[in-house]
């Protein structure tokens, strides 16, 4: 009987997973806010196609995304050429590579709640602010942002949780290096494949509990009138 | 698990049509490294005997778990010899049916031509950044690769550059995409019709590691299935062996 408790390498995987999820979430919130704002307000004919691109990771299997990232970030791929000419080396098998993969994978989970939050504000508060002489930037930070706060919370929680649960992409892109790219989901997979079920249970059970707590917290954090609009 | 459904549908269909045809059907779980040869063999088998073999491909460890949970496989073509032995010991398979259908050959391979020399010196001298090796805990080819490095006294030197595939298929993908300049893969993956398809390779001498014995076994559910019996015999025959050999396996 193997020891059931978590071992140092399990903890390393947990630490790495949390690091990956927080980095991804922070970057996503910063990068997707302008995009979500644009999607919420534009009348451009590109709105449809770009919205579809954002939603692609929802319908594509992670292995498809992981496979194309592995190829495009490789020595002969366009992203690989770019990162190499910038002196960054290649991204597969690195933490930075996993972050790039996670940004793609969790993109809709950040953009869509933000877009909905911006849309639900409507034009009126923005027009009122404009008539009172506020600049567009000013309006965004003092009117739109506070009103969209529930959307930001939803986006952050979902991006974080979804990145924690990521498996296919890190498997395709990561190379399973302890402390660098071996996240919890991959560690669980290894345990199961090696038939170390007790160790798998500890980590997998922890993931289930984590996901449950996250979703309950999400319900509590939503103001009452937004609860029905949760994107779940 | 998604491979189960078509298989069980196929089993039901075969039961329905059994009355009309003499042919029987057997569901075969095939180790991923044996995918290409088995597809050829199954097609020939069907033509020669009239029986049908439905194939599922995957990791041996996963098949073991699925069989324990009632997966309707009749035969397991494993990537190792320990899993069939274990199934036999646990009373889930017919011990007497167990035999080695192929011995896997390990190869150090690079997508680049003229990169790997014929003695594997590149491991010591090459300026490669990454070398792909299957997870030694899960894959016999990964274990053999680590044994080879040990024997060469290069484990400490090579280890920091290792990236792990969860099985031999993924390991090949790491090397074939060029992200890892080198990879320890199965000869069957880089060889076709007795020739290297591309790149450069060093076929690791068998003395460098324990033999990668790949064993087949009939599972209890197919004990009395004529198609299962026929396929096991067919795998030992000349026609099948010629195919197996052309993919770089030994016996």
């Amino acid at each position: 009987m193997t020891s059931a408790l978590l071992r140092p390498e399990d903890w390393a995987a947990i630490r790495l997973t949390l690091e990956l999820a927080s980095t991804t979430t922070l970057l996503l919130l910063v990068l997707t806010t302008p995009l979500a704002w644009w999607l919420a307000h534009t009348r451009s004919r590109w709105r449809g196609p770009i919205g579809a691109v954002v939603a692609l990771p929802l319908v594509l299997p992670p292995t498809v995304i992981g496979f194309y990232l592995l190829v495009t970030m490789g020595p002969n791929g366009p992203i690989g050429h770019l990162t190499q000419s910038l002196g960054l080396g290649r991204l597969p098998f690195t933490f930075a590579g996993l972050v790039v993969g996670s940004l793609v994978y969790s993109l809709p989970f950040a953009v869509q709640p933000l877009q909905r939050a911006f849309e639900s504000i409507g034009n009126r508060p923005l027009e009122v602010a404009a008539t009172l002489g506020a600049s567009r930037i000013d309006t965004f930070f003092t009117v739109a942002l506070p009103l969209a706060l529930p959307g930001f919370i939803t986006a952050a929680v979902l991006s974080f949780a979804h990145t924690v649960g990521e498996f296919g992409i890190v498997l395709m892109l990561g190379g399973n290096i302890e402390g660098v790219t071996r996240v919890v989901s991959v560690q669980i997979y290894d345990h199961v494949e090696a038939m170390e079920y007790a160790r798998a249970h500890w980590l997998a059970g922890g993931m289930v509990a984590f996901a449950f707590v996250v979703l309950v917290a999400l319900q509590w954090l939503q103001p009452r009138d937004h609860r029905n609009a949760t994107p779940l | 698990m998604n491979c189960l459904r078509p298989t069980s549908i196929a089993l039901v269909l075969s039961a329905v049509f059994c009355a009309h045809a003499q042919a029987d059907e057997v569901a075969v779980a095939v180790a991923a490294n044996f995918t290409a040869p088995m597809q050829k063999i199954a097609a020939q088998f069907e033509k020669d005997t009239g029986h049908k073999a439905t194939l599922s491909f995957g990791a041996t460890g996963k098949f073991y778990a699925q069989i324990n949970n009632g997966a309707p496989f009749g035969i397991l073509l494993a990537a190792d010899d320990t899993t069939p032995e274990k199934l036999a010991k646990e009373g889930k398979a017919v011990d007497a049916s167990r035999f080695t259908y192929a011995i896997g050959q390990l190869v150090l391979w690079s997508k680049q031509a003229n990169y790997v020399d014929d003695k594997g010196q590149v491991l010591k001298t090459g300026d490669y950044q990454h070398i792909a090796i299957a997870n030694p805990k899960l894959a016999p080819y990964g274990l053999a690769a680590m044994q080879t490095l040990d024997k060469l006294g290069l484990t400490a030197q090579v280890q920091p550059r290792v990236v792990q595939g969860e099985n031999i298929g993924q390991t090949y993908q790491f090397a074939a995409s060029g992200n890892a300049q080198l990879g320890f893969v199965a000869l069957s993956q880089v060889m076709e019709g007795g020739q290297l398809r591309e790149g450069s390779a060093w076929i690791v001498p068998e003395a460098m590691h324990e033999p990668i014995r790949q064993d087949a076994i009939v599972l209890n559910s197919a004990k009395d299935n004529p198609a299962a019996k026929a396929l096991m015999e067919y795998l030992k025959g000349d026609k099948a062996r010629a195919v197996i050999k052309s993919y770089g396996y030994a016996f």
Side-chain angles (χ1 to χ4, degrees):
Chain A
M1 188 73 205
T2 46
S3 156
L5 285 167
L6 297 176
R7 303 213 191 133
E9 60 267 31
D10 294 328
W11 284 112
I14 291 173
R15 224 173 9 249
L16 185 71
T17 305
L18 297 178
E19 235 171 272
L20 177 65
S22 10
T23 311
T24 303
T25 303
L26 283 177
L27 284 173
L28 271 179
L29 289 184
V30 173
L31 296 174
T32 61
T33 300
L35 177 61
W37 183 259
W38 181 80
L39 281 170
H41 291 102
T42 186
R43 289 203 188 100
S44 158
R45 63 198 166 96
W46 291 102
R47 186 179 186 272
I50 289 182
V53 168
V54 167
L56 266 183
L58 288 175
V59 293
L60 286 176
T63 43
V64 170
I65 305 170
F67 174 64
Y68 278 125
L69 284 175
L70 185 70
V71 173
T72 52
M73 294 183 351
N76 305 313
I79 303 178
H81 278 303
L82 181 71
T83 55
Q84 280 170 304
S85 66
L86 292 174
L88 298 170
R90 288 200 293 270
L91 290 171
F93 317 133
T94 65
F95 182 76
L98 291 195
V99 172
V100 172
S102 304
L103 288 177
V104 176
Y105 178 66
S106 296
L107 185 68
F109 291 81
V111 174
Q112 292 189 350
L114 288 181
Q115 185 186 340
R116 257 189 294 267
F118 289 143
E119 280 166 357
S120 71
I121 294 171
N123 282 330
R124 201 169 151 68
L126 308 178
E127 285 162 7
V128 169
T131 52
L132 291 173
S135 72
R136 299 189 86 165
I137 299 283
D138 203 12
T139 308
F140 177 78
F141 280 103
T142 55
V143 179
L145 217 51
L147 283 173
L149 192 63
F152 275 91
I153 294 172
T154 306
V157 174
L158 285 181
S159 306
F160 189 89
H162 195 242
T163 307
V164 166
E166 173 183 346
F167 172 66
I169 293 176
V170 286
L171 193 70
M172 302 283 284
L173 216 55
N176 203 354
I177 306 166
E178 190 184 333
V180 182
T181 59
R182 186 185 295 159
V183 296
V184 171
S185 54
V186 174
Q187 181 83 335
I188 293 172
Y189 184 78
D190 279 3
H191 286 335
V192 173
E193 288 288 293
M195 297 173 227
E196 295 170 340
Y197 293 149
R199 296 184 69 189
H201 272 307
W202 276 98
L203 278 177
M207 291 281 268
V208 173
F210 170 78
F212 178 76
V213 168
V214 164
L215 293 177
V216 170
L218 199 61
Q219 299 274 327
W220 280 99
L221 282 167
Q222 293 289 339
R224 241 170 217 294
D225 50 332
H226 277 273
R227 279 190 199 177
N228 293 334
T230 306
L232 289 177
Chain B
M1 294 307 247
N2 51 5
C3 55
L4 295 185
R5 226 209 306 212
T7 319
S8 44
I9 291 170
L11 283 177
V12 170
L13 286 178
S14 73
V16 169
F17 292 112
C18 244
H20 300 279
Q22 283 300 310
D24 284 287
E25 183 164 342
V26 60
V28 190
V30 185
N33 74 73
F34 202 63
T35 301
M38 194 55 202
Q39 281 169 336
K40 275 195 187 167
I41 292 170
Q44 284 184 4
F45 169 72
E46 214 175 311
K47 227 189 295 166
D48 291 352
T49 66
H51 294 306
K52 190 168 164 46
T54 53
L55 310 177
S56 305
F57 305 101
T60 301
K62 196 176 302 154
F63 285 137
Y64 175 82
Q66 292 179 344
I67 289 163
N68 277 333
N69 288 294
F73 294 123
I75 289 178
L76 171 67
L77 299 182
D80 60 9
D81 54 356
T82 49
T83 306
E85 196 185 343
K86 203 165 160 183
L87 285 165
K89 269 200 191 129
E90 292 167 351
K92 291 164 194 147
V94 186
D95 197 29
S97 69
R98 192 152 57 92
F99 81 104
T100 302
Y101 64 92
I103 295 176
Q105 293 215 46
L106 184 68
V107 62
L108 179 68
W109 180 74
S110 172
K111 196 185 161 73
Q112 288 174 51
N114 306 317
Y115 186 61
V116 179
D117 57 287
D118 60 2
K119 290 207 173 59
Q121 289 296 311
V122 64
L123 284 170
K124 218 181 299 183
T125 56
D127 60 348
Y128 60 95
Q129 218 181 336
H130 294 291
I131 175 167
I133 296 180
N135 189 333
K137 212 167 74 169
L138 309 178
Y141 284 93
L143 185 64
M146 295 314 288
Q147 288 168 344
T148 303
L149 289 177
D150 272 347
K151 194 120 184 178
L152 292 167
L154 291 174
T155 306
Q157 192 188 329
V158 171
Q159 190 78 56
R161 293 185 259 187
V162 169
V163 289
Q164 260 180 31
E166 56 106 10
N167 61 36
I168 198 66
Q170 207 204 347
T171 308
Y172 172 74
Q173 198 176 65
F174 283 163
S177 65
N179 283 295
Q181 294 88 342
L182 285 173
F184 275 110
V185 298
L187 185 57
S188 57
Q189 293 174 301
V190 295
M191 196 170 174
E192 206 178 325
Q195 283 204 327
L196 201 61
R197 270 189 281 128
E198 62 169 334
S200 50
W202 169 50
I203 299 174
V204 180
E206 283 167 46
M208 305 293 280
H209 56 81
E210 284 169 36
I212 306 168
R213 269 182 218 292
Q214 304 199 181
D215 280 8
I217 196 161
V218 173
L219 300 161
N220 282 352
S221 65
K223 220 172 3 191
D224 305 315
N225 181 339
K229 200 171 165 210
L231 181 59
M232 292 296 267
E233 284 312 310
Y234 197 82
L235 279 167
K236 294 174 192 162
D238 290 342
K239 262 193 179 172
R241 290 212 152 184
V243 174
I244 297 172
K245 204 172 164 195
S246 75
Y247 280 91
Y249 292 95
F251 295 101

